[in-house]
Amino acid sequence: MKIWKTALCAGLVGAATLAQAADAPQAVTVYSSRIEALLKPTLDEYTKQTGVKINLLTDRGGSLAERLAAEGASSPADVLITVDMGNLHNAAERGLLQKVDSPTLNANVPDNFRDPGNRWWGLSQRERTIFYAADRVKPEQLSTYEDLADPKWKGKLCLRTSKQTYTQSLVAMMIAKHGVDKAEQITKGWVNNLAGDVFTNDASLLKAIAAGQCDVGIANTYYYGRILAKEPDFNQKVKLFWANQGKDEGGTHVNLSGGGVTAHAKNPEGARKLLEWLSSDKVQTAYTHGTYESPINKQAEADPIVKAWGTFVPSPLNAADIGSRQPEAIKLLDRVGYR
């Protein structure tokens, strides 16, 4: 009798476990090129709120795209989150992302920061603008990216390496805006004005301006935010200038981090819901605070450090159009000797 009771209890426990498993929401697997420490707390909060387990794999953007392509239909990934509009565009064009109909995502993400084919959406903005030495340059001397090609800046300009996607996307924006010939003329002018070697990262570039190695440079704003978080007085040495704000100047170039549902997602509905949640105003506030990016959702509150930089007019060019010009941009950079 005791054996039967034990077996019966075991059976009831097993049935309860199966029932709980059946009721548990299906997990979502995320492939991400974002720094894990910046993304995981947000995903953990999603699990806390919804009960959905998130399996997170982090790697470089190019490596993740190759992994998705190699895995094909056997890939466990449901969501790809990566940085740079070129990476997002290329993933979509390679068939690694699927079309998703989501009125929520389309409402939360501005038209120019999402794929016209509904394959990916921006999740945070990464402005790339002009920075200058506060003691050597007056803001009225500055205007546009194009003006930095003028010989008056010869020996005074710091730039990041052409091997980095942020440089490639900026030049791709110039091609989309001006055409190849004029964009090449502008980029060649930048190269002629270089103060020395190009930089491997924007933090070093900003520090070089402060140290007097150059007077002006182009960098992503979130690197500036990271420095200011540790050195609040750094803005007395190096200041931010929103590029191309005059009439008909085209607005400041904005890059993105973003995401989409993978082509072979095992849980496409769960993937869509996660992206919708990430694009919501309250989550956007948390998602961008401490990263010093700008929220993609205009109803969200920017980090106080970011908010202090004031408002600006972004370029209206579509991110997908810019991303599609990256191969041309890479060839152009090589032609003008931009290392």
Side-chain angles (χ1 to χ4, degrees):
M1 182 66 70
K2 186 175 180 180
I3 295 174
W4 280 106
K5 284 182 179 179
T6 302
L8 178 60
C9 289
L12 290 173
V13 171
T17 302
L18 289 172
Q20 289 170 2
D23 292 340
Q26 187 178 348
V28 175
T29 297
V30 176
Y31 281 9
S32 169
S33 68
R34 285 182 65 85
I35 296 171
E36 185 169 334
L38 300 180
L39 178 61
K40 193 173 185 303
T42 305
L43 298 181
D44 288 345
E45 181 61 26
Y46 184 71
T47 298
K48 182 179 176 181
Q49 290 187 20
T50 66
V52 176
K53 181 183 177 184
I54 304 294
N55 301 313
L56 177 63
L57 184 148
T58 304
D59 203 343
R60 297 177 64 87
S63 298
L64 289 175
E66 293 306 320
R67 181 171 183 145
L68 281 171
E71 289 173 342
S74 64
S75 176
D78 299 303
V79 173
L80 173 67
I81 294 177
T82 190
V83 297
D84 185 74
M85 53 186 62
N87 288 334
L88 290 162
H89 173 80
N90 290 338
E93 292 303 298
R94 292 180 67 182
L96 303 178
L97 302 175
Q98 64 176 269
K99 180 180 178 181
V100 174
D101 293 320
S102 173
T104 299
L105 280 165
N106 290 343
N108 290 342
V109 181
D111 289 353
N112 57 320
F113 294 145
R114 52 185 165 90
D115 176 44
N118 290 335
R119 295 169 296 180
W120 55 262
W121 290 262
L123 293 174
S124 60
Q125 295 181 197
R126 298 179 154 200
E127 298 84 15
R128 190 160 190 81
T129 194
I130 298 171
F131 292 86
Y132 66 97
D135 62 344
R136 300 187 299 280
V137 178
K138 296 179 180 179
E140 52 266 31
Q141 294 175 265
L142 300 166
S143 56
T144 64
Y145 304 108
E146 293 86 343
D147 180 67
L148 294 180
D150 190 286
K152 68 186 178 185
W153 298 111
K154 190 169 182 65
K156 299 178 179 180
L157 178 64
C158 277
L159 294 174
R160 190 164 178 174
T161 174
S162 66
K163 307 303 180 187
Q164 226 291 328
T165 55
Y166 295 130
T167 299
Q168 295 163 9
S169 286
L170 177 62
V171 174
M173 183 273 286
M174 288 291 176
I175 294 173
K177 181 180 177 182
H178 296 297
V180 174
D181 291 343
K182 187 172 180 180
E184 185 166 336
Q185 180 184 349
I186 294 164
T187 309
K188 190 172 184 179
W190 292 347
V191 173
N192 291 339
N193 289 342
L194 281 171
D197 291 336
V198 293
F199 291 82
T200 57
N201 66 77
D202 287 354
S204 298
L205 186 156
L206 292 167
K207 294 283 189 177
I209 296 175
Q213 292 177 238
C214 51
D215 290 349
V216 292
I218 301 174
N220 279 5
T221 52
Y222 71 90
Y223 284 94
Y224 188 54
R226 288 178 184 175
I227 295 173
L228 289 175
K230 296 179 180 178
E231 304 173 42
D233 292 337
F234 188 76
N235 63 3
Q236 301 302 310
K237 301 175 185 178
V238 177
K239 292 188 178 293
L240 178 154
F241 181 87
W242 292 120
N244 295 63
Q245 295 299 285
K247 185 180 179 182
D248 302 323
E249 288 181 352
T252 299
H253 174 56
V254 175
N255 211 317
L256 306 169
S257 77
V261 179
T262 59
H264 301 289
K266 306 300 185 291
N267 185 7
E269 182 180 359
R272 173 184 56 77
K273 288 180 177 178
L274 174 61
L275 290 172
E276 290 174 343
W277 184 82
L278 287 171
S279 71
S280 65
D281 55 353
K282 290 182 180 179
V283 177
Q284 279 278 298
T285 299
Y287 187 72
T288 56
H289 278 224
T291 70
Y292 313 109
E293 300 165 293
S294 296
I296 206 80
N297 187 317
K298 301 309 175 188
Q299 304 305 313
E301 283 286 329
D303 186 289
I305 287 178
V306 175
K307 205 169 184 178
W309 302 333
T311 59
F312 69 97
V313 177
S315 169
L317 294 171
N318 186 273
D321 188 32
I322 296 171
S324 70
R325 310 289 181 134
Q326 264 204 2
E328 291 177 272
I330 292 169
K331 293 176 184 177
L332 186 159
L333 288 160
D334 185 57
R335 287 199 302 272
V336 301
Y338 188 149
R339 300 186 299 279

